[in-house]
Amino acid sequence: MGDVLGWRCKFGVMGPSTNTVVQPDYDMMRPAGVTNHYSRIYTPNADAISNETFLAGARLIGNNTLDAVKSVMTCKPDHLVMGMSAVTFFDGAKGADAFVKQVEDVSGLKISVGSHSCTAAMNAYGGVKNISIMSPYWPAMNEQVARYFTDMGFTVKKDIAMHCPSWTGIAEVTPKQCVDAIKAIDGDDVDAIVQVGTNLSMVKLAVMAEMWLGKPVIAINTATYWHALRTMGIQDKVAGCGPLLERF
């Protein structure tokens, strides 16, 4: 007999200990019979006051990820989900693949990560070539994100880094700030807007933005959880969280 609550699938989710958005976001998108089991990646809430300190902090999270993987494996999950996006963009497509391989080698399970999930989401929509990127990061991290998407065959037209001063500060970004960022990077030459940074609350706002812009607005938490569900063969349509979970 399987798990009485996670009888369809148990997800092991790794997220920074400072992240307060990804857990409620994933739980909001969880179908019946699927359960999410969180393992915190130890993350000091260091102040990000420069490109250098942001990158150093993000790499520290990456270095601590495997401990969280080993911890969550004790509940015998069926699939892993990475609830932190920055480390999945480092060093372009090769870096993303290397990170996935490292986790999968340790766990023996497949993992859904933000970078590849956003690529899969844009491919599901179809016709997406030119994109803009918004993030709570600093510009040096945006360069890593742009490098990854360029490696994957997309052209990055515009980007905006919101210069959040701390890891917990990302969750304090207001909807108005997000709307202003979307407007700043939109254009007739942009096929889709991609939001990265899992502690930035964008699931519901992305749905509304997609309606008013008439083009895909992909929130990374939506893309990653959608990818995890579909990878496990779970095709449930989840209302209210956008076309990825309602149509694809």
Side-chain angles (χ1 to χ4, degrees):
M1 181 176 178
D3 191 279
V4 294
L5 296 182
W7 49 270
R8 299 171 75 190
C9 179
K10 294 186 292 185
F11 287 139
V13 182
M14 293 75 63
S17 55
T18 50
N19 191 308
T20 56
V21 167
V22 73
Q23 182 170 346
D25 271 2
Y26 285 0
D27 286 346
M28 175 174 57
M29 296 182 278
R30 179 182 63 84
V34 177
T35 50
N36 303 322
H37 307 280
Y38 290 86
S39 184
R40 295 291 193 181
I41 304 166
Y42 177 66
T43 308
N45 190 32
D47 291 332
I49 58 173
S50 68
N51 282 313
E52 290 72 22
T53 56
F54 187 96
L55 290 175
R59 290 193 184 278
L60 175 62
I61 297 172
N63 293 338
N64 291 341
T65 296
L66 291 183
D67 287 338
V69 171
K70 293 172 184 176
S71 178
V72 82
M73 287 301 297
T74 61
C75 78
K76 297 183 178 180
D78 301 299
H79 185 76
L80 298 180
V81 188
M82 186 61 179
M84 194 275 187
S85 61
V87 297
T88 74
F89 289 104
F90 277 130
D91 303 321
K94 289 183 178 179
D97 287 342
F99 176 82
V100 168
K101 185 178 187 302
Q102 183 181 38
V103 173
E104 291 183 349
D105 284 350
V106 167
S107 66
L109 296 178
K110 295 295 183 182
I111 182 172
S112 294
V113 300
S115 54
H116 287 338
S117 295
C118 285
T119 293
M122 288 189 283
N123 289 337
Y125 275 96
V128 176
K129 296 180 180 179
N130 301 316
I131 67 172
S132 287
I133 299 165
M134 62 176 291
S135 84
Y137 303 151
W138 284 64
M141 189 65 231
N142 272 27
E143 291 176 8
Q144 295 290 323
V145 177
R147 175 182 172 184
Y148 166 83
F149 283 120
T150 300
D151 286 351
M152 300 306 291
F154 300 99
T155 299
V156 178
K157 291 291 187 177
K158 301 176 185 177
D159 76 282
I160 189 167
M162 303 175 83
H163 294 82
C164 285
S166 66
W167 298 123
T168 55
I170 295 173
E172 298 168 3
V173 174
T174 66
K176 183 182 184 305
Q177 288 175 291
C178 292
V179 170
D180 290 343
I182 291 169
K183 290 179 178 178
I185 59 175
D186 186 33
D188 292 340
D189 59 342
V190 175
D191 301 320
I193 292 172
V194 181
Q195 171 262 319
V196 300
T198 63
N199 207 26
L200 184 62
S201 182
M202 274 284 294
V203 171
K204 294 293 188 178
L205 181 57
V207 178
M208 292 183 282
E210 186 159 322
M211 292 175 64
W212 97 64
L213 294 177
K215 65 183 66 174
V217 180
I218 296 170
I220 197 161
N221 288 348
T222 307
T224 308
Y225 202 76
W226 163 82
H227 184 273
L229 289 172
R230 300 303 183 251
T231 298
M232 292 304 296
I234 298 169
Q235 299 296 326
D236 295 45
K237 309 304 181 186
V238 181
C241 295
L244 274 178
L245 285 165
E246 292 177 356
R247 290 168 41 200
F248 302 115

